[in-house]
Structure formats: C-alpha cells, structure tokens
Amino acid sequence: MFRSAFISIAASLALVGAAAHAGDRLAWTGGVDQIEGSAGGGLVPWALIGGLGTNEQIGASGFATYVSTQDFSLRTAGLSIGVDDRVEVSLDRQRFDAGSVVPGLTLGQDILGLKVRLLGDAVFAPDEYLPQIAVGAQYKRTLDFDQVPRAVGAARGDDVDLYIAATKLYFAAFDGHNVIVDATLRRTRANQFGLLGFGGDGSGYTWNPEFSAAVWLCDDLLLGAEYRDKPNNLSAFRENSANDVFLAWSPFKNLALTTAWTDLGQIAGKTAQRGVYISVWVGI
C-alpha cells in the first residue's frame, strides 16, 4: 500500500507545476517538513499547509532528513501535496539504526498524514486575534513489529496520532524581526514516535503538548527552537521529551536547508541522546 502511494505522489509532484501552476505563495508559508512528513518545524507539525500553492492551486513538497546521536541515527524522507492551501496529504518513510542495542538492527515505520486547515490565516491576516488552526491525523505502521517492539512490551504495530495545531505569525514583533509561534496538542500512544510500536504497560493514549517558536534573522534565515512531549508507555525503556534548536536557510523560495542541535532524551536504555539534525526541503 505504502509503496504504491509513494509512487502516486511522486508522479503527482512531477505534474503539479505544469498542471496547476503552483508556487505563488510567499517563501516560508509552507514551513518545512517535520520528521513525520507534515508541514511544520523539524519535530512539530504546524497549522500551515505544505507546498507553495495558493487557495486556488495545488502545491507540493519533498524532504529528506538525517539525525545522528551518540548511539543512533535516523533517516527519513517524504512527500506531500497541498490542495487550495486547505488540505495536505503526506507520506513519510523512516529508518532508525539501532545497532548499538542489537547489532545490525534497523527499526522503521511508514506514515500517512492528513491535515485540514479549519480557520484563520497565519500569514495574510496579521491583525486578526485568531491564529491559523488545523487538525491532523498521522497513520503510522511500525515495521517488523514482532522483532523488537512486541518483545519490549508494545501493544500493537500500527495506530493513529491525532493533533490540533495553532500557528501565528507576528510581524516586526522582536526588535523589528518577524516571529512565528506554534502550539500543537497531540493524542498519541506512540513509543519513540512509533518506531517501537504503540501502547504498552503504561497509560495508553495521552494528550501531549508540542511547541515551536522562531524569529527571522533576515529574509532568508530563520532561528528557532522546539519542544515535544512524548508518552511513556514502556516500563522496559523510559522515554523523555524531545527538543531542538534549529537554523533554517532558504536561499530560494523553493529550497530550504535546516540544521539543528537536537536532544531526543533517553532511547532504548541509552541516556542523553543528543546530536545533529540536517534536512533538505524542496517546495512548489
């Protein structure tokens, strides 16, 4: 299912520019793509719709991200399509090198995302009190569930994260620089984002807060930070929140390069998993 879906979206990406003449939105108005494929920061989905299509266009984006800590590494890549700056559909594939725990072990998951903008406009309604608000769902399927996730106590190998996000852009809010802020609330029981399955002997579904804030140092350079709370369902492996401090550079409207220092907390009994995050985003 996921393989055919990836092929379909890849074909759509090739046709979108010619068929819909997308790309008329301003730079940064689709954010970048977070590690699960939704438009936002690196860790947190925002209420923005991915790509650069206006409310009468189809936009698209693609990304690839690499995260490396002391004991693990994560490779993730995905595609998304935004329709009329209202609906976003995304696909993401993650591969997680866990060889420090079990030699040769690679965990992974596939993620199908859907996001709908309900109301507000983060960019073009700066005087409105209400932020842009969107709801989203991410269907996640853990690979090789019986190999490790079930053995450490996970209850199942697939599940759906639900979230609501509110994003607002404030012009000239910090010493003359524009600022963007986001607050997201996620209903989830994912263990390590879903790489170790879902649920377990903990409390099951919980509502977890996520936050992002960033300031434009100049038109093409964005400095920000993120926080993402996570559930703690597995007694075998304690789980902590995730954080990052990022710098994103967009030399062209259709291209963004992001680097970050990230702290993923404890993973599979390995403490203080901190390291480097690198991501490339392309949008039309």
Side-chain angles (χ1 to χ4, degrees):
M1 179 185 73
F2 277 91
R3 181 179 177 85
S4 61
F6 265 105
I7 293 173
S8 297
I9 283 197
S12 299
L13 276 169
L15 295 173
V16 159
H21 305 290
D24 288 345
R25 268 163 53 194
L26 299 173
W28 298 110
T29 54
V32 291
D33 289 333
Q34 50 105 211
I35 57 172
E36 290 145 318
S38 301
L43 292 173
V44 179
W46 298 352
L48 304 179
I49 300 299
L52 296 171
T54 68
N55 59 0
E56 297 179 346
Q57 297 176 333
I58 296 175
S61 65
F63 82 101
T65 296
Y66 178 75
V67 185
S68 178
T69 68
Q70 294 97 317
D71 300 293
F72 304 100
S73 64
L74 172 69
R75 294 170 287 114
T76 178
L79 306 168
S80 72
I81 290 179
V83 180
D84 296 337
D85 196 22
R86 177 68 62 177
V87 177
E88 173 189 289
V89 179
S90 60
L91 284 167
D92 180 58
R93 173 158 289 184
Q94 297 182 345
R95 294 297 180 265
F96 184 74
D97 181 0
S100 63
V101 178
V102 178
L105 175 64
T106 298
L107 302 172
Q109 65 174 331
D110 291 329
I111 303 170
L112 173 63
L114 175 66
K115 184 195 297 183
V116 179
R117 178 167 65 91
L118 298 181
L119 44 86
D121 193 311
V123 178
F124 296 107
D127 296 328
E128 290 188 8
Y129 177 76
L130 196 68
Q132 181 166 321
I133 297 176
V135 294
Q138 294 174 340
Y139 169 72
K140 302 181 176 183
R141 185 185 65 179
T142 305
L143 303 183
D144 300 319
F145 173 68
D146 292 326
Q147 183 177 6
V148 173
R150 185 191 295 275
V152 299
R156 58 182 298 160
D158 66 327
D159 207 4
V160 178
D161 282 6
L162 302 176
Y163 65 87
I164 180 168
T167 306
K168 184 68 174 174
L169 175 64
Y170 297 94
F171 289 100
F174 180 73
D175 194 26
H177 297 277
N178 299 336
V179 173
I180 191 167
V181 296
D182 174 88
T184 297
L185 189 62
R186 180 188 298 261
R187 179 182 181 266
T188 183
R189 56 178 175 176
N191 307 316
Q192 296 297 350
F193 307 109
L195 291 164
L196 284 177
F198 305 87
D201 46 16
S203 59
Y205 286 115
T206 56
W207 286 95
N208 299 90
E210 306 173 8
F211 302 100
S212 296
V215 58
W216 272 265
L217 302 179
C218 56
D219 289 345
D220 57 2
L221 203 59
L222 187 64
L223 175 67
E226 299 180 287
Y227 168 85
R228 178 167 172 171
D229 192 24
K230 295 188 290 178
N232 193 30
N233 294 317
L234 301 177
S235 59
F237 296 127
R238 180 173 176 79
E239 191 163 352
N240 308 118
S241 60
N243 312 268
D244 70 29
V245 176
F246 67 87
L247 185 66
W249 177 47
S250 181
F252 312 103
K253 182 172 71 171
N254 305 94
L255 174 67
L257 308 173
T258 303
T259 184
W261 173 90
T262 185
D263 183 351
L264 300 179
Q266 182 168 293
I267 300 177
K270 304 284 188 177
T271 60
Q273 292 303 303
R274 303 184 181 99
V276 176
Y277 169 108
I278 301 172
S279 185
V280 177
W281 173 93
V282 178
I284 57 176

